[in-house]
Amino acid sequence: MIRRPPRSTLSSSSAASDVYKRQVSTQSTGVVNRSMPSITLQVPRSKHRVIIGPRGSTIQSIQQEFGCNISIARDESDSVLLDAPDQSSLHGAHQKISEILGMQVDSDPLCVLELGVESSEFGRVIGSRGSTLKAIERDAGCVVLIPSDRNPDIKFLTLQGTASACAQGKLMVEDAVGRACAILGEHQAEDGLLAAKHVVTYLERSESQNKIVSIHETLMFPDKNPDVSIFNRFLDYLRSARKTLKACVFTLSDSSIMSVLVHLYEAGIEVRVITEDSTLLNSGSQIETLVNAGISVKVDKSPYLMHHKFAVMDSQCMLTGSFNWTREAATHNYENVIFTNNKDFVQTFEASFDEMWDGSDFESVTHENLSSLAASDFSHRPRHLPS
């Protein structure tokens, strides 16, 4: 999904002095002349320093060349305000900034696209000495941000730019990693949250009878259709949760699914997860990430294998099937997922979840016991398995 941060606006010259840090030449008066032609450009914050340049040299050069004033937001917005003595100078300064940035910028709000790219694939996106990343930014016209110590607020590979630039950048990222990449959750920047977009309306009412429309949908994997991503449809149902999401899964190693759960939790939705204790050792397990994010997780300590794969959203819709929440299940296995808002089914599955959650056969995973659980030897534990 694409999220659109809000545009900053200036209601008066006093508001401008509060919100904007003016970068001016020695000839500038430091006062915004609202009678002059102006435009507020939306520029990714990571590129603001490029406009400023070493010790302000670049911004001063632009101002001197075109006789304009440039104000760069010092809050968390992306705004760069230009005002100039005439339209020709304003257009020239605008194009000069786009040329310096290596990407076209305008007054439209920026789009931010977060992609489900594994950390092991970041090197392919970066390329030798950053060649691939630079090519994506240059040819697509968007900024590529990769999670690192330098970008502590970036959790997922992120594209910033116009909607069309981000769409083109996504295609180039997929070419680099050699596969389709899921688009992760969406949020409004003013909330500071990774809130999910509700793209599945499982409580939609019919216009004529005011009755809830029944949902009975089946997805069959592997996901082979290049035009329609059934895995994204699966993620859409998870994103549809508005208040609660209760997931009971044998194993969870898909980072895109993990990202959606974290997005929901950070948006204020109650997320609970039950999983099989022995799968904590599985390669790529995302359980530790969920616990670190603050999501409540429980594992079984009984002799029974916790082999469920279902989720209940808001006590009103559910999904279940053979589908394990792993990347391999979506791309390499024959699997199925069923979605329904049938009241009887939803109540039965939620009652089972609540019984396990409150029962003595399951224990909470915490920061303190995570290491001991992961280090446990499950191979000798007796299991009641079919003969």
Side-chain angles (χ1 to χ4, degrees):
M1 295 297 169
I2 297 177
R3 58 181 169 91
R4 298 178 179 273
R7 295 173 62 179
S8 295
T9 58
L10 295 177
S11 58
S12 66
S13 60
S14 61
S17 63
D18 292 336
V19 178
Y20 286 89
K21 176 175 62 178
R22 180 160 299 286
Q23 304 289 339
V24 299
S25 65
T26 55
Q27 292 82 8
S28 172
T29 63
V31 179
V32 178
N33 186 346
R34 302 307 292 167
S35 63
M36 299 171 64
S38 64
I39 184 173
T40 300
L41 302 177
Q42 300 301 316
V43 180
R45 287 187 59 79
S46 61
K47 293 295 186 180
H48 287 186
R49 56 184 176 81
V50 178
I51 299 175
I52 297 172
R55 298 183 180 181
S57 59
T58 303
I59 199 170
Q60 290 179 13
S61 174
I62 299 172
Q63 291 178 142
Q64 290 171 357
E65 180 179 355
F66 297 98
C68 63
N69 292 322
I70 303 177
S71 301
I72 296 181
R74 68 181 180 188
D75 61 4
E76 293 303 314
S77 71
D78 301 296
S79 301
V80 174
L81 174 67
L82 300 183
D83 55 54
D86 52 58
Q87 288 290 348
S88 177
S89 299
L90 184 68
H91 177 75
H94 180 182
Q95 294 306 309
K96 186 68 173 181
I97 288 176
S98 295
E99 177 185 334
I100 291 172
L101 294 175
M103 56 185 289
Q104 185 64 37
V105 293
D106 53 34
S107 58
D108 291 336
L110 291 178
C111 297
V112 179
L113 203 62
E114 294 169 323
L115 301 181
V117 178
E118 303 285 348
S119 58
S120 59
E121 298 171 320
F122 289 164
R124 301 180 190 176
V125 178
I126 296 171
S128 177
R129 298 183 179 181
S131 58
T132 304
L133 187 148
K134 292 177 182 177
I136 295 173
E137 292 192 332
R138 180 188 67 245
D139 297 340
C142 63
V143 174
V144 181
L145 298 175
I146 293 180
S148 68
D149 294 338
R150 295 183 179 180
N151 298 315
D153 296 329
I154 302 298
K155 297 181 179 180
F156 316 103
L157 191 145
T158 302
L159 307 180
Q160 295 179 340
T162 64
S164 59
C166 287
Q168 179 61 30
K170 177 179 181 292
L171 294 176
M172 297 184 70
V173 169
E174 291 174 337
D175 285 343
V177 300
R179 65 175 181 86
C181 299
I183 298 176
L184 304 182
E186 175 186 11
H187 73 85
Q188 297 295 321
E190 64 267 27
D191 296 333
L193 299 170
L194 295 172
K197 181 178 181 181
H198 303 306
V199 294
V200 177
T201 55
Y202 55 80
L203 293 180
E204 181 180 0
R205 295 179 180 273
S206 64
E207 296 180 359
S208 59
Q209 299 178 345
N210 197 34
K211 294 182 179 180
I212 294 176
V213 176
S214 296
I215 288 182
H216 307 294
E217 183 175 354
T218 303
L219 299 181
M220 293 294 180
F221 292 88
D223 196 347
K224 295 180 179 180
N225 191 334
D227 299 320
V228 179
S229 173
I230 58 175
F231 180 65
N232 276 343
R233 182 65 175 169
F234 172 84
L235 296 180
D236 285 345
Y237 269 95
L238 295 181
R239 293 189 187 104
S240 70
R242 293 165 171 80
K243 296 180 180 179
T244 62
L245 188 148
K246 300 176 180 180
C248 192
V249 292
F250 176 69
T251 183
L252 199 168
S253 62
D254 189 285
S255 62
S256 296
I257 298 175
M258 174 275 295
S259 299
V260 170
L261 297 182
V262 172
H263 287 181
L264 291 170
Y265 174 77
E266 292 184 344
I269 295 167
E270 181 183 12
V271 178
R272 293 182 176 183
V273 176
I274 295 175
T275 190
E276 161 65 20
D277 52 6
S278 62
T279 62
L280 292 174
L281 294 169
N282 284 4
S283 175
S285 173
Q286 300 293 329
I287 296 302
E288 182 175 4
T289 303
L290 297 182
V291 173
N292 290 338
I295 293 176
S296 297
V297 177
K298 287 191 176 184
V299 295
D300 74 303
K301 56 180 182 179
S302 75
Y304 295 96
L305 199 67
M306 209 306 296
H307 208 239
H308 282 304
K309 300 104 175 176
F310 72 84
V312 178
M313 287 73 73
D314 302 327
S315 304
Q316 301 191 355
C317 184
M318 59 157 288
L319 60 88
T320 188
S322 67
F323 183 77
N324 274 317
W325 291 17
T326 65
R327 183 173 165 188
E328 290 74 16
T331 57
H332 295 97
N333 295 355
Y334 287 102
E335 306 278 5
N336 68 81
V337 180
I338 297 173
F339 304 96
T340 182
N341 60 350
N342 178 280
K343 185 177 179 179
D344 292 335
F345 286 171
V346 172
Q347 289 180 346
T348 298
F349 275 81
E350 184 166 36
S352 179
F353 182 97
D354 292 342
E355 180 180 359
M356 288 185 288
W357 188 267
D358 297 330
S360 59
D361 284 345
F362 294 82
E363 63 178 313
S364 296
V365 181
T366 65
H367 296 287
E368 291 72 25
N369 68 6
L370 185 60
S371 298
S372 61
L373 285 171
S376 300
D377 182 4
F378 302 102
S379 60
H380 302 297
R381 178 177 296 185
R383 293 288 193 184
H384 294 306
L385 299 176
S387 57

